[in-house]
Amino acid sequence: MNEHPVAAGPLFTPERRQELEALGRQYPTRQALLLPALWMAQRADGWVSPAAIDEIASELGLTPAYVRGVVTFYTMYHTHPVGRHFIQVCTTSPCLMCGSGDVVAALLEHTGCGELGATSSDGRFTVIETECLGACGFVTPILIDDDFIESVTPAMIPELLARYP
Amino acid sequence: MGYPHPSHPKETPLLSEHFGQAAARTYEGWTSRGGYQALRKALGMTPEAIVEEVKSSGLRGRGGAGFPTGMKWSFMPKEDGKPHYLCCNADESEPGTFKDREILRWTPHALIEGCAIACLGIRAETCYIFVRGEYTEPGRILEAAVREAYANGALGANAFGSGKRLDVVVHWGAGAYICGEETALMNAIEGKRGNPRVKPPFPAVSGLFGMPTTINNVETLAAVPHILNRGGAWYASLCLGSPKSTGTKLISVCGHVKRPGTYEITLGLPMRDLIYECAGGPLDGRTLKAVIPGGSSVPIMSMAEVDNCATDYEGIAAAGSLLGSGGMIVMDDSTDLVLQIWRLARFYAHESCAQCTNCREGTAWTTRVLERILRGEGTASDLDLLLDLADNMTGKTICVLSDSCAAPVVSGLAKFRDEFEAYLSGARSPVLVGG
């Protein structure tokens, strides 16, 4: 899931087209498949590439410009490749007031990313701060890829990162 | 129960009774705890009878607005020949709010059952549960529960052999706070940008896919099976304060308290009991300074206002704020309120969908003015400028995101003006925030 092939093949392999058609039976319009299709693309390639946008647009009967407009509205779709492991740290008020800044600093240091939004030179990590993750009683919550991790402290970070080679 | 803590005697665990029990997540675990009895009962009732039962409970929307649920359901047309839809709002993203997450990950079948009953009440066959993309763990648990509900015949073309079709579809969001706004959520499901729509038309007339639609919050729907099982009158009898605020409410308490967590109270419980007893009060050596009681979008309360406040819709409104989502942010004397209000403004600036000028410009401008105050570069007129901006952001846009940005600024300035002035005079050292 976190492997990012350099040259991805077509998004809609027979298996994925079948998956899309199965999802399609749950909605009265074809366009309702847009967010699910974008998730499929990101799961396949690690990001939503221009090629994937073209393919999805053609599959759903939309223009690439329309699809791009939707992609850029939603912050979780990556419009460029990111590190093999994507880390999101909550820094909204309840987390900020309980020490999330120290978690951000420790993550930037131990991943080698140096700054928010940057990818480490080995391509392993990208760290971003994100708005409220909805786990304010479990400061600091972070997402590493799809793993939601609660109550992270700076001391936990080296061991935590080691789980994501 | 005050998940992740044991239940406190002042709580009323109803929705939260099984939080923390992984066994309650499965179909079998749920039915052994009395699950799906309410749906079986509802399948034998008329839509009118279901709506009446919910009306009599006094249940109000638990997502923030507090609109009476039964009345909302009754707005749906009766014999229009169109497909009807139910949307469940599981886009919980209001800072301070983390209660729906516990329902999704501990009692997903309670939500599915509530969705199914609501569908019957509003004459819908399909419910779309919109889960925020970041809720990876709760969303996966919910998806597994939906599959199980189909496999056991609770959902599908012939729910429990009733001949009625009931479908529940989990639709993933992709990161946008604004999709918690009901019409933005519908646009997101339809494959569009999550811009809120101009109302009217209201969803009951033209909602999802242009069809009559009801949208309810996770907690609202999860309360419905209890109402069907034990009766609306019983639910309405759960009341410690205003008779207009009935039942239990999950309050997620975070910030500077000893035991942050999700507490379930009978509405009307004194806010002091909730904060000082259930959540354990301030950390040792600290005193509390302020509380944002209903998610970050509501006015900040001083501790003097908290003192005699009942935790219900009317009690908190009388104290000048709102129960909102029940996301309670508690701040002690170590808190720099100017910094926290700036961070909230930045949140709203980031999350503005940008279709209304007053919101797009106002949230960004508010953030920049607060930044320069924090950096020690503010001027005396900046406080009036903030209030002027707030006035232009309140009641002037399609949705209330802009109003939500103004609320902490206006209440913060009214109640804690000295903290802003300390930055202006240089009495407080500058904080280097922003670009």
Side-chain angles (χ1 to χ4, degrees):
Chain A
M1 179 162 187
N2 297 305
E3 295 301 312
H4 299 176
V6 177
L11 172 61
F12 291 109
T13 57
E15 293 76 24
R16 291 209 192 94
R17 178 165 284 110
Q18 208 173 2
E19 189 189 337
L20 191 75
E21 295 314 316
L23 287 173
R25 288 192 281 279
Q26 301 181 315
Y27 301 94
T29 69
R30 192 94 183 130
Q31 188 177 340
L33 289 170
L34 184 47
L35 267 60
L38 292 168
W39 277 122
M40 283 172 76
Q42 183 151 307
R43 278 200 303 272
D45 301 337
W47 64 301
V48 181
S49 66
I53 287 175
D54 288 349
E55 246 193 283
I56 289 170
S58 143
E59 195 69 34
L60 301 184
L62 302 165
T63 66
Y66 186 90
V67 174
R68 198 176 306 275
V70 172
V71 171
T72 54
F73 186 89
Y74 297 96
T75 55
M76 291 183 79
Y77 295 129
H78 308 313
T79 50
H80 52 81
V82 296
R84 207 155 61 238
H85 301 293
F86 189 74
I87 305 179
Q88 305 178 63
V89 196
C90 181
T91 63
T92 312
S93 298
C95 284
L96 175 66
M97 71 175 71
C98 295
S100 65
D102 297 336
V103 174
V104 171
L107 277 167
L108 291 176
E109 183 196 334
H110 291 287
T111 56
C113 288
E115 60 178 322
L116 289 165
T119 297
S120 57
S121 55
D122 57 2
R124 188 171 156 207
F125 293 113
T126 304
V127 180
I128 65 158
E129 54 177 347
T130 189
E131 295 296 354
C132 190
L133 281 176
C136 323
F138 304 88
V139 174
T140 296
I142 72 172
L143 265 170
I144 304 184
D145 305 327
D146 282 346
D147 298 337
F148 200 106
I149 306 159
E150 297 173 346
S151 308
V152 173
T153 61
M156 289 162 65
I157 285 168
E159 189 265 331
L160 204 52
L161 295 178
R163 292 186 225 159
Y164 297 88
Chain B
M1 61 174 287
Y3 187 82
H5 311 287
S7 191
H8 188 277
K10 293 216 167 168
E11 285 188 83
T12 308
L14 185 66
L15 276 64
S16 62
E17 189 185 351
H18 306 295
F19 286 0
Q21 302 171 18
R25 286 173 179 161
T26 63
Y27 184 84
E28 195 190 328
W30 192 243
T31 48
S32 74
R33 287 165 177 78
Y36 288 108
Q37 290 306 313
L39 174 58
R40 289 178 189 277
K41 186 174 176 182
L43 282 163
M45 293 166 71
T46 62
E48 289 81 3
I50 293 170
V51 172
E52 278 313 308
E53 199 66 58
V54 173
K55 268 189 182 171
S56 71
S57 74
L59 176 66
R60 292 167 67 176
R62 302 301 195 215
F67 193 83
T69 306
M71 192 187 296
K72 190 187 246 187
W73 291 7
S74 73
F75 293 157
M76 291 291 276
K78 306 271 180 305
E79 314 263 333
D80 57 341
K82 292 179 181 172
H84 291 186
Y85 294 109
L86 175 71
C87 289
C88 170
N89 189 341
D91 191 51
E92 181 170 62
S93 340
E94 171 86 0
T97 314
F98 50 102
K99 60 178 182 78
D100 295 339
R101 176 171 182 261
E102 307 301 359
I103 295 174
L104 294 166
R105 67 174 173 163
W106 296 115
T107 61
H109 286 287
L111 175 62
I112 295 167
E113 189 175 4
C115 291
I117 296 168
C119 278
L120 295 169
I122 64 165
R123 299 170 170 84
E125 290 185 341
T126 309
C127 168
Y128 294 97
I129 304 179
F130 185 90
V131 181
R132 66 177 299 192
E134 295 88 342
Y135 272 4
T136 48
E137 182 215 14
R140 281 194 298 248
I141 292 169
L142 176 67
E143 284 182 327
V146 168
R147 282 194 297 272
E148 263 197 309
Y150 274 102
N152 286 280
L155 299 175
N158 184 16
F160 284 141
S162 64
K164 292 176 182 160
R165 172 175 277 281
L166 288 172
D167 284 316
V168 171
V169 178
V170 175
H171 191 97
W172 286 91
Y177 165 76
I178 192 58
C179 289
E181 197 280 340
E182 57 184 17
T183 56
L185 183 150
M186 291 171 199
N187 279 339
I189 295 176
E190 290 182 18
K192 301 170 180 167
R193 291 166 70 92
N195 290 332
R197 302 174 184 170
V198 177
K199 290 181 270 190
F202 290 95
V205 174
S206 176
L208 186 65
F209 304 115
M211 296 299 158
T213 303
T214 293
I215 178 163
N216 290 128
N217 169 260
V218 167
E219 185 187 351
T220 312
L221 290 165
V224 168
H226 295 282
I227 292 168
L228 267 279
N229 278 331
R230 301 175 73 169
W234 167 81
Y235 189 84
S237 74
L238 299 171
C239 178
L240 295 173
S242 161
K244 291 180 184 166
S245 289
T246 62
T248 63
K249 175 87 187 80
L250 295 172
I251 309 279
S252 50
V253 185
C254 66
H256 298 138
V257 290
K258 285 204 182 96
R259 290 192 297 272
T262 297
Y263 296 88
E264 185 168 13
I265 61 162
T266 295
L267 281 169
L269 184 78
M271 202 183 282
R272 275 195 71 88
D273 292 6
L274 174 63
I275 295 170
Y276 288 89
E277 296 184 41
C278 298
L283 306 174
D284 292 335
R286 290 288 172 193
T287 54
L288 298 183
K289 177 155 88 177
V291 173
I292 305 181
S296 62
S297 300
V298 308
I300 303 171
M301 294 171 75
S302 66
M303 292 317 289
E305 290 167 323
V306 165
D307 264 342
N308 293 308
C309 184
T311 316
D312 62 19
Y313 296 99
E314 287 68 31
I316 302 182
S321 189
L322 295 160
L323 176 61
S325 61
M328 194 169 280
I329 307 170
V330 180
M331 294 174 273
D332 70 18
D333 54 348
S334 72
T335 311
D336 180 338
L337 269 171
V338 184
L339 182 72
Q340 295 305 331
I341 292 169
W342 159 75
R343 186 62 186 82
L344 286 178
R346 206 188 82 176
F347 168 82
Y348 290 108
H350 183 265
E351 300 299 336
S352 170
C353 84
Q355 67 177 337
C356 302
T357 309
N358 295 38
C359 178
R360 183 184 62 241
E361 303 299 322
T363 54
W365 199 355
T366 299
T367 307
R368 286 200 301 273
V369 173
L370 286 165
E371 255 163 36
R372 90 179 164 221
I373 292 171
L374 281 164
R375 295 168 72 96
E377 296 157 6
T379 62
S381 63
D382 277 348
L383 303 189
D384 288 336
L385 177 59
L386 282 172
L387 291 174
D388 186 36
L389 279 167
D391 182 48
N392 277 295
M393 291 162 66
T394 305
K396 307 224 171 26
T397 48
I398 292 173
C399 81
V400 295
L401 187 143
S402 167
D403 308 56
S404 301
C405 180
V409 173
V410 172
S411 55
L413 270 169
K415 294 165 196 177
F416 302 95
R417 194 179 178 95
D418 56 321
E419 294 199 32
F420 293 80
E421 286 170 343
Y423 277 106
L424 297 180
S425 68
R428 250 189 207 182
S429 304
V431 181
L432 294 181
V433 292

